[in-house]
Amino acid sequence: NAGVTQTPKFQVLKTGQSMTLQCAQDMNHNSMYWYRQDPGMGLRLIYYSASEGTTDKGEVPNGYNVSRLNKREFSLRLESAAPSQTSVYFCASSELGVNQPQHFGDGTRLSIL
Amino acid sequence: AQSVAQPEDQVNVAEGNPLTVKCTYSVSGNPYLFWYVQYPNRGLQFLLKYITGDNLVKGSYGFEAEFNKSQTSFHLKKPSALVSDSALYFCAVRPMNTGFQKLVFGTGTRLLVSP
């Protein structure tokens, strides 16, 4: 019963490098999300996909791109990493419905030097 | 714009004592409210939600939360704390009248339960 799986779990990048964070869910959820978690700031929404084939910006989308590859997979790409993007990144998924809880992966810890 | 405040960075309680983790919110219209828990090096886990109806909501692991519309609060409670309840707790809100369920999270409250 995997739920939401994120890869990799840890990554160190140099400024300017690119990287794609992978996320897959096996709960047949329609909606998927990418958040970043920084100390003292809670979780902030980067991008979301309400359903397969759609993506929209969240609160902090600058410097990121996303791809909803299919219903299961939602990837986050950093085209040119910056130290300000050092964070813990969480992917989540949910049923399509206004009161459905989100289910989270265990995160990717990303450090950019 | 909606917002969530968790006024305490940390709450300390002895095992067996009741615990309260505070949350207040600001939204246009009626809210959907959620509590999540995060254990070290893990993602957030859903605890409970308020949608409508009874103001006292029961959730996982013996937790409950009380919705108070006049005070715009949704405090998390448990009658008897366990050491294993020590974790980071997040309150989140979503207005009912928005087009998609984007949640706004508070900054989190660390709960430390001592033996």
Side-chain angles (χ1 to χ4, degrees):
Chain A
N1 190 12
V4 178
T5 302
Q6 292 183 237
T7 56
K9 295 187 184 305
F10 305 93
Q11 186 70 49
V12 179
L13 294 178
K14 295 181 179 179
T15 298
Q17 287 185 315
S18 62
M19 174 168 189
T20 299
L21 308 185
Q22 306 288 352
C23 175
Q25 53 93 7
D26 62 2
M27 295 172 283
N28 202 35
H29 286 166
N30 285 289
S31 304
M32 298 185 74
Y33 316 79
W34 276 105
Y35 293 91
R36 59 178 290 173
Q37 184 179 24
D38 301 291
M41 302 191 73
L43 273 77
R44 293 182 291 169
L45 184 65
I46 305 171
Y47 271 92
Y48 66 97
S49 172
S51 59
E52 186 179 358
T54 69
T55 61
D56 283 287
K57 295 178 180 179
E59 183 183 356
V60 288
N62 291 345
Y64 305 95
N65 285 300
V66 290
S67 295
R68 185 74 184 265
L69 304 171
N70 48 55
K71 191 173 185 178
R72 291 186 63 249
E73 298 173 288
F74 188 39
S75 63
L76 178 72
R77 183 161 179 84
L78 287 70
E79 291 290 351
S80 180
S84 61
Q85 294 177 306
T86 293
S87 187
V88 182
Y89 291 86
F90 288 99
C91 177
S93 69
S94 71
E95 297 281 2
L96 188 63
V98 296
N99 61 3
Q100 297 302 316
Q102 295 180 12
H103 300 260
F104 287 79
D106 285 337
T108 293
R109 285 147 186 82
L110 185 60
S111 293
I112 299 162
L113 307 177
Chain B
Q2 60 264 34
S3 64
V4 176
Q6 294 182 242
E8 302 155 315
D9 290 336
Q10 183 163 311
V11 170
N12 298 303
V13 65
E15 188 174 33
N17 284 358
L19 69 87
T20 299
V21 182
K22 296 180 180 178
C23 171
T24 59
Y25 65 90
S26 174
V27 295
S28 301
N30 294 316
Y32 292 126
L33 293 156
F34 300 79
W35 275 103
Y36 288 83
V37 60
Q38 185 180 30
Y39 298 101
N41 300 315
R42 300 299 302 275
L44 278 68
Q45 297 178 31
F46 169 71
L47 275 180
L48 51 80
K49 64 182 179 183
Y50 171 81
I51 304 302
T52 187
D54 195 346
N55 289 342
L56 185 64
V57 179
K58 294 189 182 298
S60 305
Y61 312 121
F63 284 93
E64 57 190 27
E66 186 169 13
F67 172 63
N68 187 317
K69 187 173 183 178
S70 63
Q71 298 185 3
T72 62
S73 67
F74 189 55
H75 299 333
L76 182 69
K77 300 181 179 184
K78 187 174 183 182
S80 178
L82 300 172
V83 172
S84 57
D85 292 331
S86 298
L88 189 57
Y89 290 82
F90 289 95
C91 182
V93 66
R94 179 194 176 278
M96 288 187 187
N97 59 350
T98 58
F100 184 68
Q101 60 265 43
K102 289 189 291 185
L103 288 177
V104 174
F105 287 87
T107 54
T109 298
R110 188 166 301 281
L111 174 66
L112 183 60
V113 181
S114 55

